Amino acid sequence: MEHWDVVVVGGGPAGAACAAAARQADPSARVLVLDRAAFPRDKVCGDGIAPEALDVLAGLGIDPDGLTDGYASVPRLRLRSPGGTTVERAMHRPASVVPRAVFDGRLLTAALSSGAELRRHTVRRLRVRPGHVEVDDVLTAGVVVGADGAESVVRRAVGVAPNRPAQLAIAIRGYAAVPAGMDGVQAILTTEQRWPAYAWSFPLGDGRANVGYGELVSGGVNRAGLLAGLARLLPGVTVDRLRAHRLPLSTGRPRQPDGRVLLAGDAASLINPLTGEGIFYAVLSGALAGAAAVGGGDAGAAYRRALRQRLGTHLTHSATASWASRWPRGMDAVFRAAADDQRVFDDVVRLGLADGRLTGRTLTTAVRRLR
Ligand SMILES: Cc1cc2nc3c(=O)[nH]c(=O)nc-3n(C[C@H](O)[C@H](O)[C@H](O)COP(=O)(O)OP(=O)(O)OC[C@H]3O[C@@H](n4cnc5c(N)ncnc54)[C@H](O)[C@@H]3O)c2cc1C
């Protein structure tokens, strides 16, 4: 059987970052990316890309401008709390909105230019042997990285349980003319109905927006319910290309076994439970997994340590905030605090979109607004 140092399953943001990072860590490493889809391919998403995700990719030698060229840079964010408090402010740095059919294709092309190879193949089975991993009886790898998304086959193969329904969201997205008053602003809107649930409108810069609606799987919602939620929060919007997909939310403690099989991105359940943002966590975890993967048999433990060091505090804080956010009055108070104070707003944005923390300033201002 053909042997590779690192096999990456999935060529989305986590897999692309992983391949580039493995080649950066060891330019002689033989790195193969397997994906079941032909690229460029679509991915059901809100298409919002946090600036911190682009920073991670820049660190891997990938030019951010080449990834976002021709699409909107959105300077403002509007948040509506379950109780109806609305805050709109400039973000500390603008976010980008690029359709995933474009972004992921550009990113994978850039990653492959590091010297990794791509092959179209649907992975069905892994066998972990003492010195290597067999992939579908067709090739062997020193290390396999599962970057194969929300329904990860690699995660199942190493016995890591999927998220429980209360830690799994489902969301539907489509494309529409930018809703009235929402040009140049990323809008995230919630209501008390079916809380925690939210809708969004992210403008692409060409008069259209990615719009969508999501809630927790544990609520038992179906497609009709998702469409009803979308119509409730974004009334009068005509949407096409509607598709739904699941979001494995972070629980604060990613489960990464020792050994030669690593999990990154959605396969590792790293989506921010407050906002559904996952691309930053996908590229960051992919980059850390790629750097660890060239280490061979100790890769799992090395990657787990790196992930804890880089993201551990954030993951604990976002899980705590997510738990607290199930109480809508608390959310209202945080949104009012963010309306009062740009620094609280910035802290809340960093907690929801990148590696931020639940700061003392956010907590004390929110407690004051609770009274
Ligand atoms: C409706 C919705 C809206 C969202 N909005 C946003 C947003 O606005 N911003 C944001 O940052 N995040 C958002 N997210 C989350 C974001 O889409 C994910 O976190 C991100 O795509 C994770 O990247 P990934 O590389 O881990 O997985 P994916 O992007 O899912 O890539 C996985 C890849 O693996 C391949 N694959 C799967 N199984 C196999 C197999 N068996 N063999 C070979 N290949 C395989 C797939 O073809 C795919 O290319 C949203 C998610 C949803 C569902």
Side-chain angles (χ1 to χ4, degrees), residues 10 13-14 35-36 41 43 45-46 48 100 121 123 148 266 276 278-279:
D35 202 294
R36 65 181 176 198
R41 57 99 181 94
K43 156 76 177 78
C45 187
R100 293 288 299 276
H121 177 90
V123 172
D148 50 342
D266 282 10
I279 297 172

Side-chain angles (χ1 to χ4, degrees), residues 56 280 284 288 305-314 355:
V56 174
F280 166 71
L284 179 57
L288 297 173
R305 277 195 302 274
L307 201 55
R308 195 185 312 130
Q309 225 164 36
R310 177 65 181 83
L311 267 186
T313 306
H314 162 75
D355 55 0

Side-chain angles (χ1 to χ4, degrees), residues 9-352:
V9 185
C18 177
R23 291 281 304 173
Q24 187 183 58
D26 179 358
S28 68
R30 295 188 67 233
V31 178
L32 176 66
V33 178
L34 300 174
D35 202 294
R36 65 181 176 198
F39 274 71
R41 57 99 181 94
D42 192 14
K43 156 76 177 78
V44 178
C45 187
D47 301 334
I49 296 152
E52 289 83 355
L54 300 176
D55 294 345
V56 174
L57 296 170
L60 299 174
I62 295 172
D63 173 21
D65 294 341
L67 300 174
T68 58
D69 188 34
Y71 289 92
S73 167
V74 186
R76 298 183 74 76
L77 176 66
R78 182 183 306 167
L79 301 169
R80 191 173 77 201
S81 74
T85 301
T86 298
V87 49
E88 182 182 319
R89 284 182 175 274
M91 286 182 274
H92 65 292
R93 288 165 68 193
S96 303
V97 184
V98 185
R100 293 288 299 276
V102 175
F103 183 80
D104 288 20
R106 289 176 176 177
L107 174 54
L108 186 57
T109 301
L112 294 175
S113 70
S114 70
E117 290 185 33
L118 171 68
R119 207 172 279 172
R120 193 165 177 196
H121 177 90
T122 302
V123 172
R124 299 186 196 283
R125 202 171 54 182
L126 298 184
R127 269 206 210 97
V128 182
R129 304 292 191 199
H132 64 269
V133 183
E134 288 173 14
V135 182
D136 286 338
D137 301 326
V138 292
L139 48 90
T140 62
V143 169
V144 169
V145 181
D148 50 342
E151 315 298 333
S152 175
V153 166
V154 175
R155 178 182 60 208
R156 217 176 311 140
V158 288
V160 173
N163 282 25
R164 287 184 281 124
Q167 298 158 338
L168 195 60
I170 181 158
I172 196 158
R173 75 94 232 255
Y175 292 90
V178 177
M182 292 192 184
D183 215 1
V185 59
Q186 285 200 340
I188 298 179
L189 313 170
T190 65
T191 67
E192 266 172 340
Q193 267 180 299
R194 298 190 67 82
W195 177 252
Y198 73 110
W200 68 87
S201 167
F202 293 168
L204 293 162
D206 62 358
R208 293 177 64 74
N210 180 314
V211 298
Y213 172 84
E215 48 179 83
L216 290 179
V217 166
S218 50
V221 70
N222 58 17
R223 185 180 166 90
L226 290 174
L227 292 175
L230 183 59
R232 201 165 50 241
L233 290 177
L234 289 171
V237 172
T238 306
V239 189
D240 61 26
R241 294 175 55 202
L242 280 162
R243 280 176 65 198
H245 199 82
R246 300 204 292 179
L247 297 88
L249 306 176
S250 166
T251 59
R253 284 201 241 164
R255 285 159 295 165
Q256 170 56 53
D258 281 350
R260 295 179 179 273
V261 181
L262 279 50
L263 299 171
D266 282 10
S269 301
L270 286 174
I271 293 184
N272 192 306
L274 295 164
T275 57
E277 209 269 6
I279 297 172
F280 166 71
Y281 308 98
V283 296
L284 179 57
S285 62
L288 297 173
V294 294
D298 294 334
Y303 169 54
R304 190 172 58 240
R305 277 195 302 274
L307 201 55
R308 195 185 312 130
Q309 225 164 36
R310 177 65 181 83
L311 267 186
T313 306
H314 162 75
L315 293 177
T316 305
H317 283 223
S318 60
T320 307
S322 164
W323 173 80
S325 77
R326 305 278 162 113
W327 181 43
R329 264 194 72 208
M331 282 292 280
D332 287 333
V334 170
F335 281 41
R336 280 197 293 270
D340 289 349
D341 183 338
Q342 177 76 41
R343 276 200 285 169
V344 171
F345 180 84
D346 291 342
D347 289 348
V348 169
V349 171
R350 281 192 85 96
L351 180 66

